[in-house]
Amino acid sequence: MGYLIHTLTLAAIYIMVALSYSLPVGYAGMLNLGHIGLLAVGAYTAAILTTSGISFWLALIAAALISGIFGFFLALPARRIKGDYYALMTLGFTFVINAVLLNWIKLTKGPFGITGIPRPSGFTDPLAFLVLTLVFLGFTAWFVHRVLGSPFGKALEAVRDDDLVAESLGKPTAKLRLTALFISAVIVGLAGALLAHFIQFINPQIFWLDNVVWILAALALGGLASFRGAVIGMLILFAIFELIRFLSIPAALLGPLRLIIFSLLLLLVVLYRPKGIFGRAQIE
Amino acid sequence: MKLMPTLQIKNICKSFGGVRAVNRCSFELVDKKITALIGPNGAGKTTLFNVVNGFIPADEGKIFFREEDVTDFTVWQRSRLGMSRTFQLSRLFKNLTIKENLILALRQDDDLFWRAFLKRGEGSELNKKIVEGMGFVGLKKNPETSVKDLSYGEQKLFDLTRALLNPHSLLLLDEPVSGVNPVLREKLKEIMRHLKEKGETVLLIEHDIDFVRSVADWIVVMDQGRVLKEGLPEKIFKDPEVLEVYLGPTE
Ligand SMILES: Nc1ncnc2c1ncn2[C@@H]1O[C@H](COP(=O)(O)OP(=O)(O)OP(=O)(O)O)[C@@H](O)[C@H]1O
Ligand SMILES: [Mg+2]
């Protein structure tokens, strides 16, 4: 039972991450590999603030805002740097964040990470924390669903398909990209804060690159530019991760086996449904 | 005081590396008329179009649009002031449907995400405009069709529809009949005549002389980046200099 609650909470947090990721990647066509860096910003902001005595709720707001500000700056170069170059630039952001986390020891405790991150009072019980996470997930899902289904969501899709043509129809593409990345960063900042308070111990390793690859793979599996795709993709990823645990295989093989099974599944989907299970667009 | 024309192109220059694509180009559009921009391949017509709507910054010169110097305006600002354009090779939002493409052209407020949380009720009005727009060009397709399923000719027609539905006071059309079949070409002639009746101000790039002759009120001839001549169609197509650069020194 404890295991189930634990897994569900993590899954809920990562569905928030996937939903926030679909906004820039699936809709606005910005392959932002800095997303995991933003998750780290949210997690560390909340962890640093609460371990120095600031209340959980204030820290949560700060995490969302600071991540949002970083997201804003990540969007600025998007008007000039596009496609693969944008991916590379944002990859650089993840590297920089990681270097800061490792080296600014006074603030982040470096490679050892921050321990003893308190659960918010009233939510120390795992079940209560799950409920809290689900409330955040529900709000996020409602918000993202509403935004993506609105004319704003369609304008983002226009930017993704052909930003020059979108401009020529009167869409301020720079502002659209900025807004999309800001919203995405605020949500992933919240998710980061929830993650920190849930696992209560964070280190730079958790926010390393392999994580962004998994999230991207979950999106590709579920389908880009699709609300359902983001949710289902992440659920499938979690299901595979967790179900493999129940096979009686040596722990050392667990990691590679996950990778193999998920890669095969992704390969099949990409071969037979290039847009993913529910997707409407492809990354080019 | 003389009213300023919708569009003034003043001394525009644009080079790509060593290539002078547009070289000191100046002309004005006559309001509510169709002006055709003709000239051989590589004359600089599309480049000039891109400078007018802002895709490409000019090296020199100015663009005035509706009494305003728009030389330093962005593409979307010029669009919101009333420029609307099509493309030599149709550029549609390929993952979207006909209807979604057209709504994008119609709406001018979709950059504000918080509007997603306000009451909306203009759906039927947009639908009406879409049906009207598609009826006007005679595009008989289910609006829910993906634009990928349109044939080449339908895409050209659709690109035009989208430009027409985008709120505008100036239409920039880059080769609307290139590569289309004769039936569609006649249909497009008819559409152009309707546009003239509606009082649209149009700048049209076109190679098809027969098409230009039957729809244009005024003709500007470009060659090697310069404006060679401008005038009424009957004069232009008799001008020996024009005939030489445009048709080659054959006869
Ligand atoms: N982006 C660019 N980079 C470099 N050179 C360019 C670019 N765009 C156009 N040119 C060059 O500028 C010149 C004018 O090209 P442009 O496309 O404006 O001609 P055009 O009159 O539209 O020709 P066509 O009738 O073939 O469409 C050509 O020599 C072309 O090769
Ligand atoms: Mg051209």
Side-chain angles (χ1 to χ4, degrees), chain B residues 214-236:
Chain B
S214 57
V215 304
D217 301 294
W218 190 257
I219 293 184
V220 177
V221 186
M222 269 183 91
D223 182 37
Q224 297 181 17
R226 292 170 184 279
V227 173
L228 183 75
K229 278 274 153 70
E230 57 176 312
L232 293 166
E234 50 270 32
K235 269 180 104 174
I236 288 293

PDB file of all heavy atoms in Angstrom, chain B residues 214-236:
ATOM      1  N   SER B 214      -5.487  40.132 -68.491  1.00  0.00           N
ATOM      2  CA  SER B 214      -6.937  40.171 -68.298  1.00  0.00           C
ATOM      3  C   SER B 214      -7.354  40.654 -66.906  1.00  0.00           C
ATOM      4  O   SER B 214      -8.521  40.923 -66.692  1.00  0.00           O
ATOM      5  CB  SER B 214      -7.567  38.806 -68.596  1.00  0.00           C
ATOM      6  OG  SER B 214      -6.981  37.834 -67.792  1.00  0.00           O
ATOM      7  N   VAL B 215      -6.423  40.755 -65.944  1.00  0.00           N
ATOM      8  CA  VAL B 215      -6.871  41.224 -64.626  1.00  0.00           C
ATOM      9  C   VAL B 215      -6.220  42.535 -64.160  1.00  0.00           C
ATOM     10  O   VAL B 215      -6.796  43.247 -63.348  1.00  0.00           O
ATOM     11  CB  VAL B 215      -6.682  40.149 -63.515  1.00  0.00           C
ATOM     12  CG1 VAL B 215      -7.390  38.871 -63.864  1.00  0.00           C
ATOM     13  CG2 VAL B 215      -5.216  39.913 -63.229  1.00  0.00           C
ATOM     14  N   ALA B 216      -5.036  42.852 -64.679  1.00  0.00           N
ATOM     15  CA  ALA B 216      -4.297  43.983 -64.094  1.00  0.00           C
ATOM     16  C   ALA B 216      -4.777  45.333 -64.626  1.00  0.00           C
ATOM     17  O   ALA B 216      -5.154  45.473 -65.786  1.00  0.00           O
ATOM     18  CB  ALA B 216      -2.812  43.821 -64.364  1.00  0.00           C
ATOM     19  N   ASP B 217      -4.774  46.340 -63.747  1.00  0.00           N
ATOM     20  CA  ASP B 217      -5.096  47.714 -64.137  1.00  0.00           C
ATOM     21  C   ASP B 217      -3.828  48.494 -64.418  1.00  0.00           C
ATOM     22  O   ASP B 217      -3.831  49.498 -65.124  1.00  0.00           O
ATOM     23  CB  ASP B 217      -5.836  48.421 -62.992  1.00  0.00           C
ATOM     24  CG  ASP B 217      -7.110  47.708 -62.624  1.00  0.00           C
ATOM     25  OD1 ASP B 217      -8.021  47.677 -63.449  1.00  0.00           O
ATOM     26  OD2 ASP B 217      -7.175  47.168 -61.499  1.00  0.00           O
ATOM     27  N   TRP B 218      -2.754  48.068 -63.822  1.00  0.00           N
ATOM     28  CA  TRP B 218      -1.486  48.803 -63.902  1.00  0.00           C
ATOM     29  C   TRP B 218      -0.378  47.770 -63.832  1.00  0.00           C
ATOM     30  O   TRP B 218      -0.515  46.774 -63.129  1.00  0.00           O
ATOM     31  CB  TRP B 218      -1.388  49.785 -62.725  1.00  0.00           C
ATOM     32  CG  TRP B 218      -0.262  50.758 -62.814  1.00  0.00           C
ATOM     33  CD1 TRP B 218       0.911  50.710 -62.144  1.00  0.00           C
ATOM     34  CD2 TRP B 218      -0.217  51.934 -63.610  1.00  0.00           C
ATOM     35  NE1 TRP B 218       1.695  51.788 -62.477  1.00  0.00           N
ATOM     36  CE2 TRP B 218       1.023  52.561 -63.377  1.00  0.00           C
ATOM     37  CE3 TRP B 218      -1.112  52.533 -64.532  1.00  0.00           C
ATOM     38  CZ2 TRP B 218       1.405  53.744 -64.008  1.00  0.00           C
ATOM     39  CZ3 TRP B 218      -0.729  53.715 -65.147  1.00  0.00           C
ATOM     40  CH2 TRP B 218       0.525  54.314 -64.887  1.00  0.00           C
ATOM     41  N   ILE B 219       0.680  48.014 -64.552  1.00  0.00           N
ATOM     42  CA  ILE B 219       1.758  47.021 -64.568  1.00  0.00           C
ATOM     43  C   ILE B 219       3.106  47.665 -64.251  1.00  0.00           C
ATOM     44  O   ILE B 219       3.424  48.737 -64.762  1.00  0.00           O
ATOM     45  CB  ILE B 219       1.825  46.304 -65.943  1.00  0.00           C
ATOM     46  CG1 ILE B 219       0.557  45.475 -66.116  1.00  0.00           C
ATOM     47  CG2 ILE B 219       3.061  45.425 -66.053  1.00  0.00           C
ATOM     48  CD1 ILE B 219       0.515  44.651 -67.359  1.00  0.00           C
ATOM     49  N   VAL B 220       3.849  46.988 -63.369  1.00  0.00           N
ATOM     50  CA  VAL B 220       5.208  47.408 -63.067  1.00  0.00           C
ATOM     51  C   VAL B 220       6.125  46.294 -63.547  1.00  0.00           C
ATOM     52  O   VAL B 220       5.920  45.125 -63.205  1.00  0.00           O
ATOM     53  CB  VAL B 220       5.401  47.630 -61.550  1.00  0.00           C
ATOM     54  CG1 VAL B 220       6.844  48.002 -61.244  1.00  0.00           C
ATOM     55  CG2 VAL B 220       4.443  48.695 -61.034  1.00  0.00           C
ATOM     56  N   VAL B 221       7.116  46.642 -64.365  1.00  0.00           N
ATOM     57  CA  VAL B 221       8.028  45.622 -64.884  1.00  0.00           C
ATOM     58  C   VAL B 221       9.360  45.737 -64.165  1.00  0.00           C
ATOM     59  O   VAL B 221       9.955  46.808 -64.092  1.00  0.00           O
ATOM     60  CB  VAL B 221       8.271  45.810 -66.398  1.00  0.00           C
ATOM     61  CG1 VAL B 221       9.095  44.653 -66.952  1.00  0.00           C
ATOM     62  CG2 VAL B 221       6.955  45.938 -67.137  1.00  0.00           C
ATOM     63  N   MET B 222       9.817  44.613 -63.599  1.00  0.00           N
ATOM     64  CA  MET B 222      11.125  44.591 -62.943  1.00  0.00           C
ATOM     65  C   MET B 222      12.099  43.780 -63.771  1.00  0.00           C
ATOM     66  O   MET B 222      11.733  42.785 -64.395  1.00  0.00           O
ATOM     67  CB  MET B 222      11.021  43.946 -61.558  1.00  0.00           C
ATOM     68  CG  MET B 222      10.736  44.918 -60.427  1.00  0.00           C
ATOM     69  SD  MET B 222      10.734  44.046 -58.857  1.00  0.00           S
ATOM     70  CE  MET B 222      12.443  44.215 -58.375  1.00  0.00           C
ATOM     71  N   ASP B 223      13.341  44.216 -63.758  1.00  0.00           N
ATOM     72  CA  ASP B 223      14.390  43.431 -64.405  1.00  0.00           C
ATOM     73  C   ASP B 223      15.689  43.669 -63.645  1.00  0.00           C
ATOM     74  O   ASP B 223      16.041  44.818 -63.381  1.00  0.00           O
ATOM     75  CB  ASP B 223      14.536  43.852 -65.868  1.00  0.00           C
ATOM     76  CG  ASP B 223      15.593  43.018 -66.584  1.00  0.00           C
ATOM     77  OD1 ASP B 223      15.679  41.804 -66.283  1.00  0.00           O
ATOM     78  OD2 ASP B 223      16.335  43.578 -67.405  1.00  0.00           O
ATOM     79  N   GLN B 224      16.372  42.624 -63.297  1.00  0.00           N
ATOM     80  CA  GLN B 224      17.632  42.697 -62.554  1.00  0.00           C
ATOM     81  C   GLN B 224      17.549  43.651 -61.369  1.00  0.00           C
ATOM     82  O   GLN B 224      18.440  44.472 -61.165  1.00  0.00           O
ATOM     83  CB  GLN B 224      18.752  43.107 -63.501  1.00  0.00           C
ATOM     84  CG  GLN B 224      18.952  42.058 -64.568  1.00  0.00           C
ATOM     85  CD  GLN B 224      20.081  42.414 -65.518  1.00  0.00           C
ATOM     86  OE1 GLN B 224      20.916  43.255 -65.226  1.00  0.00           O
ATOM     87  NE2 GLN B 224      20.101  41.743 -66.644  1.00  0.00           N
ATOM     88  N   GLY B 225      16.473  43.537 -60.635  1.00  0.00           N
ATOM     89  CA  GLY B 225      16.348  44.311 -59.410  1.00  0.00           C
ATOM     90  C   GLY B 225      15.841  45.727 -59.577  1.00  0.00           C
ATOM     91  O   GLY B 225      15.583  46.419 -58.597  1.00  0.00           O
ATOM     92  N   ARG B 226      15.697  46.171 -60.824  1.00  0.00           N
ATOM     93  CA  ARG B 226      15.235  47.549 -61.038  1.00  0.00           C
ATOM     94  C   ARG B 226      13.821  47.572 -61.592  1.00  0.00           C
ATOM     95  O   ARG B 226      13.387  46.621 -62.237  1.00  0.00           O
ATOM     96  CB  ARG B 226      16.125  48.249 -62.072  1.00  0.00           C
ATOM     97  CG  ARG B 226      17.520  48.506 -61.604  1.00  0.00           C
ATOM     98  CD  ARG B 226      18.335  48.959 -62.799  1.00  0.00           C
ATOM     99  NE  ARG B 226      19.730  49.127 -62.404  1.00  0.00           N
ATOM    100  CZ  ARG B 226      20.188  50.213 -61.787  1.00  0.00           C
ATOM    101  NH1 ARG B 226      19.382  51.212 -61.504  1.00  0.00           N
ATOM    102  NH2 ARG B 226      21.465  50.296 -61.433  1.00  0.00           N
ATOM    103  N   VAL B 227      13.154  48.712 -61.376  1.00  0.00           N
ATOM    104  CA  VAL B 227      11.882  48.924 -62.073  1.00  0.00           C
ATOM    105  C   VAL B 227      12.234  49.431 -63.466  1.00  0.00           C
ATOM    106  O   VAL B 227      12.829  50.494 -63.626  1.00  0.00           O
ATOM    107  CB  VAL B 227      11.002  49.956 -61.352  1.00  0.00           C
ATOM    108  CG1 VAL B 227       9.774  50.273 -62.191  1.00  0.00           C
ATOM    109  CG2 VAL B 227      10.585  49.428 -59.993  1.00  0.00           C
ATOM    110  N   LEU B 228      11.854  48.629 -64.454  1.00  0.00           N
ATOM    111  CA  LEU B 228      12.207  48.983 -65.822  1.00  0.00           C
ATOM    112  C   LEU B 228      11.187  49.961 -66.400  1.00  0.00           C
ATOM    113  O   LEU B 228      11.533  50.963 -67.019  1.00  0.00           O
ATOM    114  CB  LEU B 228      12.268  47.699 -66.652  1.00  0.00           C
ATOM    115  CG  LEU B 228      12.684  47.845 -68.101  1.00  0.00           C
ATOM    116  CD1 LEU B 228      14.178  48.085 -68.200  1.00  0.00           C
ATOM    117  CD2 LEU B 228      12.303  46.582 -68.861  1.00  0.00           C
ATOM    118  N   LYS B 229       9.920  49.654 -66.215  1.00  0.00           N
ATOM    119  CA  LYS B 229       8.841  50.465 -66.792  1.00  0.00           C
ATOM    120  C   LYS B 229       7.615  50.294 -65.923  1.00  0.00           C
ATOM    121  O   LYS B 229       7.451  49.265 -65.275  1.00  0.00           O
ATOM    122  CB  LYS B 229       8.468  49.922 -68.197  1.00  0.00           C
ATOM    123  CG  LYS B 229       9.343  50.365 -69.348  1.00  0.00           C
ATOM    124  CD  LYS B 229       8.900  51.677 -69.935  1.00  0.00           C
ATOM    125  CE  LYS B 229      10.050  52.427 -70.590  1.00  0.00           C
ATOM    126  NZ  LYS B 229      10.559  51.817 -71.829  1.00  0.00           N
ATOM    127  N   GLU B 230       6.718  51.265 -65.927  1.00  0.00           N
ATOM    128  CA  GLU B 230       5.382  50.989 -65.416  1.00  0.00           C
ATOM    129  C   GLU B 230       4.351  51.705 -66.258  1.00  0.00           C
ATOM    130  O   GLU B 230       4.654  52.716 -66.890  1.00  0.00           O
ATOM    131  CB  GLU B 230       5.247  51.337 -63.935  1.00  0.00           C
ATOM    132  CG  GLU B 230       5.564  52.747 -63.537  1.00  0.00           C
ATOM    133  CD  GLU B 230       5.287  52.960 -62.045  1.00  0.00           C
ATOM    134  OE1 GLU B 230       4.200  52.567 -61.585  1.00  0.00           O
ATOM    135  OE2 GLU B 230       6.151  53.525 -61.346  1.00  0.00           O
ATOM    136  N   GLY B 231       3.146  51.160 -66.294  1.00  0.00           N
ATOM    137  CA  GLY B 231       2.135  51.779 -67.142  1.00  0.00           C
ATOM    138  C   GLY B 231       0.903  50.917 -67.306  1.00  0.00           C
ATOM    139  O   GLY B 231       0.763  49.876 -66.656  1.00  0.00           O
ATOM    140  N   LEU B 232       0.034  51.380 -68.190  1.00  0.00           N
ATOM    141  CA  LEU B 232      -1.191  50.628 -68.467  1.00  0.00           C
ATOM    142  C   LEU B 232      -0.842  49.362 -69.258  1.00  0.00           C
ATOM    143  O   LEU B 232       0.112  49.386 -70.045  1.00  0.00           O
ATOM    144  CB  LEU B 232      -2.154  51.504 -69.282  1.00  0.00           C
ATOM    145  CG  LEU B 232      -2.724  52.714 -68.542  1.00  0.00           C
ATOM    146  CD1 LEU B 232      -3.372  53.693 -69.515  1.00  0.00           C
ATOM    147  CD2 LEU B 232      -3.731  52.253 -67.501  1.00  0.00           C
ATOM    148  N   PRO B 233      -1.605  48.302 -69.071  1.00  0.00           N
ATOM    149  CA  PRO B 233      -1.269  47.035 -69.732  1.00  0.00           C
ATOM    150  C   PRO B 233      -1.111  47.169 -71.246  1.00  0.00           C
ATOM    151  O   PRO B 233      -0.137  46.659 -71.810  1.00  0.00           O
ATOM    152  CB  PRO B 233      -2.458  46.131 -69.385  1.00  0.00           C
ATOM    153  CG  PRO B 233      -3.068  46.714 -68.184  1.00  0.00           C
ATOM    154  CD  PRO B 233      -2.766  48.173 -68.187  1.00  0.00           C
ATOM    155  N   GLU B 234      -2.034  47.898 -71.886  1.00  0.00           N
ATOM    156  CA  GLU B 234      -1.957  47.948 -73.350  1.00  0.00           C
ATOM    157  C   GLU B 234      -0.660  48.603 -73.827  1.00  0.00           C
ATOM    158  O   GLU B 234      -0.099  48.213 -74.843  1.00  0.00           O
ATOM    159  CB  GLU B 234      -3.199  48.634 -73.952  1.00  0.00           C
ATOM    160  CG  GLU B 234      -3.588  49.980 -73.358  1.00  0.00           C
ATOM    161  CD  GLU B 234      -4.560  49.854 -72.171  1.00  0.00           C
ATOM    162  OE1 GLU B 234      -4.475  48.846 -71.440  1.00  0.00           O
ATOM    163  OE2 GLU B 234      -5.383  50.769 -71.966  1.00  0.00           O
ATOM    164  N   LYS B 235      -0.156  49.559 -73.031  1.00  0.00           N
ATOM    165  CA  LYS B 235       1.107  50.193 -73.419  1.00  0.00           C
ATOM    166  C   LYS B 235       2.299  49.276 -73.130  1.00  0.00           C
ATOM    167  O   LYS B 235       3.187  49.114 -73.949  1.00  0.00           O
ATOM    168  CB  LYS B 235       1.291  51.515 -72.651  1.00  0.00           C
ATOM    169  CG  LYS B 235       0.720  52.703 -73.401  1.00  0.00           C
ATOM    170  CD  LYS B 235       0.918  53.966 -72.605  1.00  0.00           C
ATOM    171  CE  LYS B 235       2.049  54.837 -73.133  1.00  0.00           C
ATOM    172  NZ  LYS B 235       2.070  56.117 -72.380  1.00  0.00           N
ATOM    173  N   ILE B 236       2.268  48.695 -71.924  1.00  0.00           N
ATOM    174  CA  ILE B 236       3.409  47.880 -71.487  1.00  0.00           C
ATOM    175  C   ILE B 236       3.669  46.720 -72.437  1.00  0.00           C
ATOM    176  O   ILE B 236       4.812  46.447 -72.814  1.00  0.00           O
ATOM    177  CB  ILE B 236       3.172  47.355 -70.047  1.00  0.00           C
ATOM    178  CG1 ILE B 236       3.296  48.486 -69.035  1.00  0.00           C
ATOM    179  CG2 ILE B 236       4.125  46.228 -69.706  1.00  0.00           C
ATOM    180  CD1 ILE B 236       4.689  49.063 -68.883  1.00  0.00           C
TER     181      ILE B 236
END
